[in-house]
Amino acid sequence: MEQGTALSPPGEHGEHHVQHVDEFSITELVNRQIAATAPQRLAEIVAALTRHLHDFAREVRLSESELMAGIQFLTQVGQTCDDRRQEFILLSDVLGLSMLVTAQNNRKPAGCTEATVFGPFHVEDSPKHALGDDIANGAQGEPCFVRGAVKGLGGEPVANARLEVWQADEDGFYDVQYAGLDQSRARATLQTGTDGVYHFRSILANSYPIPHDGPVGKLLAALGRHPWRPAHLHFMITADGYETLITHVFRNGDRYLESDAVFGVRESLIAEWIRHPPGPGPDGSVVPVPFYTLDFDFVLNPLPGAAGKTRN
């Protein structure tokens, strides 16, 4: 076979039939090739992406210089990624894509705690702490006591549920953002008791900006958007017989609740942080400065077929 003959089968008299290409026919041509060779699910995804991408270019009449600017922007996003920072996740977050995918993949029955975005600062195998421990471990911030219960949709206590908790300090940084810090701060793994109750001490959650010194930050500035997230605690809760829950608890009254840079706020996840004067804390200790308390219960969704089973 001569080189190149596989690209376009010859017609009856050896001539080639090349499809006319213009700004409209190009979409069908691309997707025909995708459908002919790609695995089914990959073909479905890439073909849909192609249709929407081409429709977008036609709708805004994208210029060649604008296309090149977009390519340069995505190149810069990739160049900003390293083992401590994922700029593409940040881009997905600020465009609302992360929250859209979270919402459509975590539909739950009424009464269950809603999910929200995972965020880029979770760490596997965070230190295990006993209930009641101070997990701040030196993180700066006003003292805060957090307590509540993990329940099933039927109101049953969920014993031995695993809670992973993490948050930023009063300066708006997570422990992993500090170069050279060799210990976890304001981050822990806890386990509920037989009654499903959890409680620990940490620091007050405050609003903070997402990293905005890279290309995503420049995009936000160009759009006239701020980089701030409202104050929140992260939770990931796993328990036998229940769906894993990844969520935040947001501090009521925060100025950024209605303009979260990553669109992660859900009304059911907003809670009250109550301020107290110096004195006895909920754990019986004497707190010499003003402190806060947060009470929040989580309701997990049972896995299919798990309802009614005994859980330890």
Side-chain angles (χ1 to χ4, degrees):
M1 180 179 293
E2 294 182 2
Q3 184 178 3
T5 57
L7 297 178
S8 181
E12 183 177 352
H13 301 290
E15 73 276 12
H16 292 269
H17 296 290
V18 178
Q19 179 175 325
H20 173 69
V21 178
D22 61 22
E23 63 194 273
F24 300 102
S25 65
I26 183 66
T27 306
E28 179 187 355
L29 178 60
V30 173
N31 280 347
R32 185 187 304 164
Q33 290 195 13
I34 291 170
T37 57
Q40 182 176 359
R41 178 58 176 165
L42 181 60
E44 179 183 6
I45 292 172
V46 178
L49 174 63
T50 300
R51 287 195 303 272
H52 290 290
L53 193 59
H54 288 201
D55 284 343
F56 151 74
R58 286 187 285 259
E59 178 183 340
V60 303
R61 299 198 60 81
L62 194 69
S63 70
E64 292 173 301
S65 61
E66 289 165 342
L67 173 61
M68 184 54 64
I71 290 171
Q72 291 172 342
F73 170 75
L74 292 176
T75 300
Q76 292 166 3
V77 170
Q79 291 170 339
T80 307
C81 297
D82 57 29
D83 58 352
R84 300 177 65 89
R85 177 165 177 168
Q86 230 304 344
E87 194 80 357
F88 272 110
I89 291 179
L90 206 59
L91 179 60
S92 174
D93 288 347
V94 303
L95 294 179
L97 180 60
S98 299
M99 189 59 203
L100 184 156
V101 173
T102 293
Q104 74 178 2
N105 285 281
N106 289 274
R107 299 187 183 98
K108 301 179 187 296
C112 288
T113 304
E114 293 185 294
T116 190
V117 291
F118 196 23
F121 297 117
H122 173 261
V123 173
E124 297 285 348
D125 300 320
S126 59
K128 294 182 179 179
H129 281 263
L131 293 176
D133 279 358
D134 184 353
I135 72 169
N137 196 29
Q140 296 301 301
E142 297 176 89
C144 181
F145 295 85
V146 184
R147 58 195 174 190
V150 179
K151 306 175 183 179
L153 188 54
E156 72 279 9
V158 180
N160 300 321
R162 173 186 169 97
L163 282 78
E164 295 183 57
V165 187
W166 65 103
Q167 69 172 103
D169 62 20
E170 68 178 4
D171 292 323
F173 295 105
Y174 290 80
D175 52 3
V176 295
Q177 293 179 278
Y178 287 101
L181 185 65
D182 58 358
Q183 60 181 351
S184 295
R185 291 180 175 175
R187 180 186 303 276
T189 298
L190 307 136
Q191 197 167 35
T192 60
T194 56
D195 55 1
V197 170
Y198 73 92
H199 58 101
F200 61 91
R201 177 173 171 168
S202 188
I203 53 175
L204 178 67
N206 284 291
S207 53
Y208 64 87
I210 61 173
H212 57 286
D213 57 338
V216 171
K218 292 179 181 178
L219 174 64
L220 289 176
L223 294 171
R225 290 177 54 192
H226 68 72
W228 287 82
R229 296 217 65 202
H232 60 275
L233 285 177
H234 292 262
F235 287 87
M236 181 163 70
I237 305 176
T238 55
D240 182 41
Y242 295 91
E243 291 181 358
T244 295
L245 173 65
I246 297 172
T247 196
H248 305 354
V249 180
F250 294 92
R251 184 177 164 194
N252 194 20
D254 192 285
R255 63 182 294 189
Y256 299 110
L257 284 173
E258 296 182 5
S259 60
D260 180 8
V262 308
F263 307 98
V265 178
R266 308 184 88 160
E267 187 174 5
S268 66
L269 302 177
I270 300 172
E272 296 288 343
W273 266 253
I274 307 299
R275 190 175 190 271
H276 303 268
D283 61 356
S285 64
V286 177
V287 186
V289 295
F291 63 92
Y292 290 79
T293 56
L294 167 67
D295 290 86
F296 197 87
D297 292 345
F298 297 95
V299 180
L300 304 184
N301 190 29
L303 289 170
K309 291 184 179 179
T310 300
R311 300 180 178 89
N312 297 320

